[in-house]
Amino acid sequence: MGSNGCAVITGASRGIGAAIASQLAKRMPVIINYSSNEQAALRVLESITKSGGHGVIFKCDVSDRKSVDEMMSFACEKFGGIHTLVNNAGLSEIKLFTDITQEDWRRMEQVNLDGVFNCCQSALPYMIHEKFGRIINISSVWGVVGASCEVHYSALKAAVIGLTKALAKETAPSGITVNAVAPGCIMTDMLKSECDDDTLGSLIEDTPVGRLGTPQDVARAVAFFSSDSSDFITGQILGVDGGFGS
Ligand code: NAP
């Protein structure tokens, strides 16, 4: 397949995923996945279409394997294959470790880790058939250095790093690269829901380049891993964090 097929971006209705969809749509058609916010997903599609790109929106909870299988099958039928899979959908939650319930832990695990497992396992047969594929997982700087009051989030983002490194070794002989991006503090709904203005100010102070990241900062790194320029790069974790995690 080489450069044919589409990009499937999970959680692409808002924030980082929306920026990734817009960036990748410059090179290939995109599946804009979302879980509930159809209007937001449609706005992303409208903006891509206005810029001359192609795509479709697809509602699917990444923790639901049957829906994920339907999404990957749809992507292949509609666009002839899956060139790039970006596992971006994620949840976050601020809680003291002692307050995290079994239900909190399970839901975080279902979306942030099972979702990556589901999408990789569902897309891989199509990629292996073509002997080509690019998988990019969105981890987090907290999966590298750990965050107080986000132990469940940090643990699962660290697991995504382990999954990335191991799967990269397994799929490399099939022409499929697997890399991850570990964003720092990126201005999206997720960050806004967690931080008041004082906390945002502290995060800027703790970021050596002196600003918060933008979704586009992350999208450009993902575009690199999706491009021919990264042919010989697999199993890598790229910090896009303005020096925060170094
Ligand atoms: P966001 O603004 O909260 O957007 C989350 C996106 O994920 C939305 O499109 C949402 O869809 C979708 N989503 C949530 N649960 C889903 C599910 N079960 N199935 C499918 N889609 C689902 O988040 P963000 O800040 O852009 O974060 C994107 C990724 O980057 C996440 O994995 C996050 O952990 C990671 N990250 C973010 C930061 C940061 O500072 N923002 C830093 C490091 C890593 P709906 O619109 O339908 O709800």
Side-chain angles (χ1 to χ4, degrees):
M1 179 170 66
S3 60
N4 298 324
C6 67
V8 177
I9 303 105
T10 67
S13 50
R14 294 182 281 124
I16 293 170
I20 293 170
S22 299
Q23 184 75 32
L24 295 184
K26 294 175 187 171
R27 293 211 335 262
M28 64 189 97
V30 290
I31 303 282
I32 301 159
N33 162 252
Y34 67 102
S35 63
S36 59
N37 200 336
E38 181 171 320
Q39 287 311 311
L42 283 169
R43 282 195 293 276
V44 176
L45 176 60
E46 191 185 353
S47 151
I48 285 172
T49 308
K50 269 189 189 156
S51 305
H54 298 286
V56 287
I57 66 167
F58 199 102
K59 180 180 165 84
C60 151
D61 180 338
V62 293
S63 69
D64 176 355
R65 179 55 183 266
K66 190 167 169 285
S67 303
V68 167
D69 286 345
E70 284 165 8
M71 179 167 68
M72 298 306 170
S73 167
F74 171 81
C76 289
E77 275 167 30
K78 176 116 184 119
F79 296 119
I82 302 169
H83 176 289
T84 295
L85 165 65
V86 185
N87 288 305
N88 166 80
L91 300 176
S92 70
E93 185 178 44
I94 306 273
K95 264 194 178 179
L96 276 176
F97 181 66
T98 44
D99 290 341
I100 294 172
T101 64
Q102 292 262 327
E103 289 70 33
D104 295 335
W105 178 273
R106 289 281 166 259
R107 187 58 192 151
M108 187 76 71
E109 188 181 33
Q110 282 165 356
V111 177
N112 290 12
L113 185 58
D114 296 1
V116 180
F117 169 81
N118 286 339
C119 291
C120 288
Q121 210 177 53
S122 184
L124 269 169
Y126 302 106
M127 292 180 168
I128 290 168
H129 181 262
E130 299 295 335
K131 287 224 163 287
F132 180 91
R134 296 277 182 266
I135 296 176
I136 302 121
N137 297 323
I138 307 301
S139 176
S140 166
V141 67
W142 300 137
V144 181
V145 303
S148 169
C149 297
E150 289 190 78
V151 171
H152 50 350
Y153 181 81
S154 302
L156 293 161
K157 289 298 186 180
V160 168
I161 290 175
L163 183 154
T164 300
K165 291 181 178 181
L167 187 60
K169 291 190 172 145
E170 196 168 315
T171 61
S174 303
I176 299 158
T177 64
V178 188
N179 291 289
V181 174
C185 303
I186 311 296
M187 198 29 132
T188 65
D189 292 346
M190 184 180 279
L191 194 68
K192 279 183 239 165
S193 71
E194 290 174 349
C195 301
D196 57 23
D197 286 349
D198 286 349
T199 313
L200 287 177
S202 305
L203 290 174
I204 292 170
E205 273 174 28
D206 290 343
T207 302
V209 302
R211 68 169 174 87
L212 297 174
T214 65
Q216 290 72 26
D217 288 324
V218 181
R220 285 189 289 270
V222 170
F224 167 69
F225 282 133
S226 165
S227 75
D228 293 344
S229 306
S230 68
D231 269 355
F232 199 56
I233 302 173
T234 196
Q236 300 305 302
I237 316 302
L238 179 61
V240 179
D241 61 8
F244 190 98
S246 307

